[in-house]
Amino acid sequence: MTEDSQKTVVCSWNEWDPLKHVIVGRAEGTMLQAPEPVVQLDFPDQGFPLGTFGSLPKEMEDKAGELLDNYAAILENRGIRVDRPSPLDFSQVIQTPDWKQDSMFGCMPPRDVLLTVGDEILEAPMSFRSRWFEYLCYRPLLEQYYKEDPSFRWETAPKPRLTDRTYKKDFWKEWNSISEEEQWKRTVNSDWIISETEPLFDAADVARCGKDLFVQKSMVTNDAGIEWLRRHYPDHRVHRVTYREMLPWHIDATLIPLRPGLALINPERPALGNAHNELFKKNGWELVEAPKSVRKEKMPLCTCSMWLNMNCLVIDTKTICIEAAETPMMELLDKYGFEVIPVPLFEVSPFGGGLHCATADVYREGTLEDYFPKQVEGF
Ligand code: ABU
């Protein structure tokens, strides 16, 4: 580190530069959240039928906490500074002048909330009412970075109102009554529950590749949110991307940039339209299809997909953390010249994701670069 970069606490332009400082989430207090417009949780066999909510079981929380502590220790042993959020009482009822919500969620996945682009950390608006106050878990850390680093830009996207106008009325009733063919039709038109009333995005719908930010339109990210990001980052190229995925929720099990010229893609979620693959091809990038997970079943009470094996954390262009059981993924990355660090984290998935979700970048050595000098018009 140079003397100058030592003063800089916050800086990260992409997913692969050498990682020096990261936030790792916590499992404590996580809730299977109370019903709200976006979320339809229905786990009748696991004690939580539709309409019910409550704390995740204590033994699951303890195990997840142990694995997250171990993940933090693995990173620290590699010389990476690790910070942790401050959980709130997520079982409390929260409200704004517009709505009341019977519980919060948790703070295991910092990646959903915090978007680091260069010397800025942006608190995402979030479209779940249960996650409206989640940024508070990170405020002690952000306050500290603000004091330590004179060039840190601390930003927050406009807090959304999340009134009933934000959600399409009767979405779930309609969705559950139409055929699979009709569901795919709605999917291809990106016609999900959130309306365009106000800008919404989760930070985990953004894949960062220097000047190019790939932002997925999803169940939690709307066009107004993508447009907001475009206006907010005028020096970047913000690409709106969609994939053939029925109810998409975060890009980090669909497109994972690994290093300049190489990214993992999900073989079951091809990009819609030609521009996405054309852009990568034109700039000499290889898109490698991820192997399926070795897991045959998800963890109980898990709301993520079976593709968390893709949800990896790149430490630098030669080193990567992969979930410890995912041998095919480890073998693939070994073939591409990575040193693979196996990290057990499967039991953390009900708390909100995998290795990438469980972290948020604070500092990676490196500068803003253009990895896609040849652009595709209109993309
Ligand atoms: N936040 C990662 C979840 C993505 C997925 O389950 O596919």
Side-chain angles (χ1 to χ4, degrees):
M1 264 197 200
T2 64
E3 204 177 297
D4 189 45
S5 69
Q6 274 173 354
K7 279 185 250 155
T8 304
V9 176
V10 176
C11 195
S12 175
W13 294 107
N14 56 48
E15 308 286 341
W16 58 75
D17 274 342
L19 183 67
K20 298 291 163 191
H21 185 178
V22 74
I23 299 171
V24 171
R26 300 197 102 102
E28 288 96 316
T30 304
M31 302 285 292
L32 202 74
Q33 67 262 52
E36 59 174 306
V38 190
V39 189
Q40 293 270 300
L41 299 176
D42 189 13
F43 295 106
D45 300 337
Q46 293 148 40
F48 287 101
L50 188 66
T52 59
F53 67 100
S55 303
L56 269 84
K58 181 80 173 79
E59 63 279 10
M60 284 175 71
E61 181 183 298
D62 289 347
K63 179 67 187 171
E66 192 186 295
L67 293 176
L68 287 162
D69 289 348
N70 178 57
Y71 187 16
I74 289 172
L75 296 172
E76 278 169 342
N77 286 338
R78 293 246 156 195
I80 297 165
R81 172 174 159 190
V82 176
D83 289 335
R84 311 295 297 273
S86 307
L88 302 168
D89 172 8
F90 300 118
S91 69
Q92 67 188 291
V93 177
I94 52 170
Q95 70 179 92
T96 72
D98 293 311
W99 46 261
K100 192 167 168 197
Q101 167 70 17
D102 284 336
S103 87
M104 300 178 68
F105 164 58
C107 64
M108 197 301 285
R111 189 72 64 176
D112 298 5
V113 186
L114 302 178
L115 177 61
T116 311
V117 175
D119 57 6
E120 174 184 302
I121 296 181
L122 174 68
E123 297 166 3
M126 316 301 287
S127 59
F128 286 20
R129 289 176 180 166
S130 57
R131 305 191 73 178
W132 204 89
F133 286 108
E134 206 167 301
Y135 69 97
L136 292 174
C137 305
Y138 304 97
R139 280 294 170 94
L141 295 176
L142 298 176
E143 284 165 17
Q144 185 189 338
Y145 305 158
Y146 194 70
K147 281 189 200 120
E148 289 173 1
D149 178 356
S151 55
F152 168 40
R153 293 189 308 122
W154 179 4
E155 280 281 358
T156 179
K159 285 308 278 178
R161 294 280 297 265
L162 303 185
T163 67
D164 291 342
R165 289 173 58 235
T166 294
Y167 309 102
K168 292 177 197 162
K169 195 166 177 284
D170 295 330
F171 172 85
W172 288 112
K173 211 160 109 193
E174 273 173 33
W175 182 264
N176 294 329
S177 70
I178 59 179
S179 65
E180 194 180 322
E181 196 187 337
E182 284 171 294
Q183 288 176 341
W184 278 119
K185 226 184 265 170
R186 285 190 80 151
T187 295
V188 169
N189 292 326
S190 307
D191 180 7
W192 298 295
I193 188 165
I194 55 174
S195 68
E196 294 294 337
T197 306
E198 55 190 348
L200 294 172
F201 57 89
D202 275 11
D205 264 326
V206 183
R208 301 162 308 139
C209 295
K211 265 185 96 67
D212 292 79
L213 302 174
F214 296 88
V215 187
Q216 175 180 242
K217 183 167 182 191
S218 75
M219 287 285 288
V220 291
T221 296
N222 60 11
D223 282 316
I226 298 173
E227 176 57 21
W228 190 89
L229 287 164
R230 205 167 266 145
R231 294 186 202 180
H232 186 68
Y233 296 119
D235 296 334
H236 284 74
R237 295 179 292 246
V238 171
H239 304 280
R240 174 195 188 273
V241 293
T242 52
Y243 300 88
R244 193 175 153 76
E245 183 186 357
M246 195 115 26
L247 295 168
W249 187 50
H250 301 160
I251 200 169
D252 55 358
T254 302
L255 171 71
I256 302 285
L258 295 171
R259 64 181 180 224
L262 186 68
L264 270 179
I265 49 162
N266 186 318
E268 285 184 355
R269 300 173 184 170
L272 295 174
N274 299 326
H276 177 287
N277 288 1
E278 196 187 327
L279 179 71
F280 282 92
K281 196 168 163 211
K282 240 179 150 173
N283 290 281
W285 281 64
E286 187 181 354
L287 295 175
V288 185
E289 288 194 353
K292 280 193 165 166
S293 170
V294 296
R295 309 283 182 187
K296 298 288 166 253
E297 274 181 22
K298 296 200 263 185
M299 277 288 292
L301 304 174
C302 178
T303 56
C304 295
S305 73
M306 289 299 290
W307 284 100
L308 286 182
N309 61 328
M310 285 184 70
N311 193 263
C312 49
L313 180 72
V314 179
I315 302 292
D316 58 46
T317 53
K318 293 196 172 84
T319 320
I320 191 163
C321 295
I322 301 285
E323 209 289 321
E326 298 293 349
T327 310
M329 185 64 83
M330 291 196 261
E331 285 172 355
L332 176 75
L333 292 165
D334 179 67
K335 242 176 51 197
Y336 277 89
F338 281 93
E339 177 202 346
V340 175
I341 307 170
V343 179
L345 214 76
F346 179 59
E347 288 86 351
V348 172
S349 58
F351 295 79
L355 274 74
H356 191 256
C357 307
T359 58
D361 286 19
V362 180
Y363 190 85
R364 286 181 189 265
E365 273 172 359
T367 49
L368 177 62
E369 303 288 341
D370 186 352
Y371 303 98
F372 296 88
K374 296 177 192 152
Q375 290 287 303
V376 173
E377 214 188 310
F379 179 50

